[in-house]
Amino acid sequence: MIIAHYSHRLPANYDTGLIRTRAKERGPLWNTIPELYFKAFLLRESGRYGAIANSYSSLYLWRQDDAFRDFLVSGRYKVVTDAFGRADIQTRFALDARKGHAHHARFVVREDLAIPLDADLSAVFASEVERNREVAEQSTTVATAVGVDTQNWTFTRIVLLEHEPAASEAGTSYEVLHLAKPLLDTLPFANAA
C-alpha cells in the first residue's frame, strides 16, 4: 500500500467556496476507482483548526504502487496541475491501515514523526503498527494508516475522524470535503490480526 498526499497553498483572499464546489463536483468521480482504498479532498482555512493559511490538498491510500503509477500517467493528476500547478507528492510505504468503528469522516489528522538514528527499526515498526491498531479501535475513527518515509526516516500517521479534533491533538488537522472510498470497507477491521 502507498499513502500519497499533496497540498496547494492558496492566496489569503482565495474564495474557499470554489474549493468546496470543486470537491463536490469532482469527488464522486473517484468513488469507483479500482485499487483505491480512499481519496480525501481536504481543506485548511486560515483561522480554523490551527491553520494560519488556506490550502487545498488530496490524500490517497492506494492498494498497490501500480495504481498510483496509473493515476500519474493516465492524466488524472494533469487535472490538478492544470488548475493549481505541480505540487510535491509526498509518498509513504504503508506499514498498516485499518478500518475503524465510525462511518462518516469529517476530519483528517496527519502527524509526522522522526525516527531516531539509533532506533531499533524492527521494534519501532512493530510499535507503530500496534499503535495504529489501537487508534483504529477508538469510537470516532473511520480509518487509520501509518506509513514510513525511508529517505528521511519519518513515520506519517493518518487518522480519518468523525469528530472535530481537539486543539491539543498532535498533528495537522484538515476538514474533509469529500471522501471517495471505493475499497475502504475491504481494509482489515481495527482489531483484526
Side-chain angles (χ1 to χ4, degrees):
M1 290 180 289
I2 293 188
I3 299 167
H5 185 210
Y6 56 85
S7 185
H8 302 277
R9 187 162 177 157
L10 303 171
N13 61 351
Y14 191 90
D15 179 2
T16 56
L18 296 171
I19 298 299
R20 292 179 186 283
T21 299
R22 180 183 178 88
K24 185 177 181 179
E25 291 172 352
R26 298 208 49 81
L29 301 174
W30 290 86
N31 289 343
T32 58
I33 298 297
E35 302 301 312
L36 178 66
Y37 287 110
F38 65 78
K39 175 186 179 177
F41 291 76
L42 305 175
L43 178 66
R44 287 180 49 82
E45 290 183 276
S46 181
R48 298 186 72 200
Y49 313 113
I52 61 168
N54 296 327
S55 67
Y56 167 59
S57 66
S58 293
L59 172 69
Y60 307 78
L61 180 61
W62 295 99
R63 186 187 297 200
Q64 300 177 21
D65 62 341
D66 288 354
F68 177 58
R69 181 208 59 216
D70 291 347
F71 158 70
L72 293 173
V73 301
S74 69
R76 284 193 177 274
Y77 187 60
K78 184 179 183 318
V79 172
V80 176
T81 61
D82 287 351
F84 298 100
R86 188 179 350 177
D88 291 335
I89 302 175
Q90 299 175 4
T91 57
R92 306 289 186 262
F93 296 102
L95 300 174
D96 190 61
R98 299 280 153 173
K99 179 174 55 171
H101 297 285
H103 300 288
H104 181 67
R106 295 180 48 231
F107 296 92
V108 166
V109 175
R110 175 184 167 158
E111 183 181 11
D112 293 298
L113 297 123
I115 301 171
L117 179 63
D118 295 325
D120 175 333
L121 291 178
S122 295
V124 295
F125 289 158
S127 177
E128 279 300 307
V129 167
E130 179 60 29
R131 182 198 170 279
N132 192 64
R133 292 176 183 188
E134 290 170 4
V135 171
E137 284 286 340
Q138 297 173 4
S139 64
T140 59
T141 299
V142 175
T144 183
V146 61
V148 63
D149 170 358
T150 56
Q151 181 175 2
N152 298 303
W153 291 106
T154 57
F155 289 122
T156 297
R157 298 170 173 171
I158 303 290
V159 184
L160 283 68
L161 296 169
E162 195 167 58
H163 72 85
E164 181 177 322
S168 61
E169 202 156 344
T172 303
S173 299
Y174 300 83
E175 181 184 356
V176 175
L177 302 179
H178 180 83
L179 180 67
K181 48 187 181 177
L183 300 178
L184 180 65
D185 286 339
T186 68
L187 282 175
F189 197 64
N191 57 2

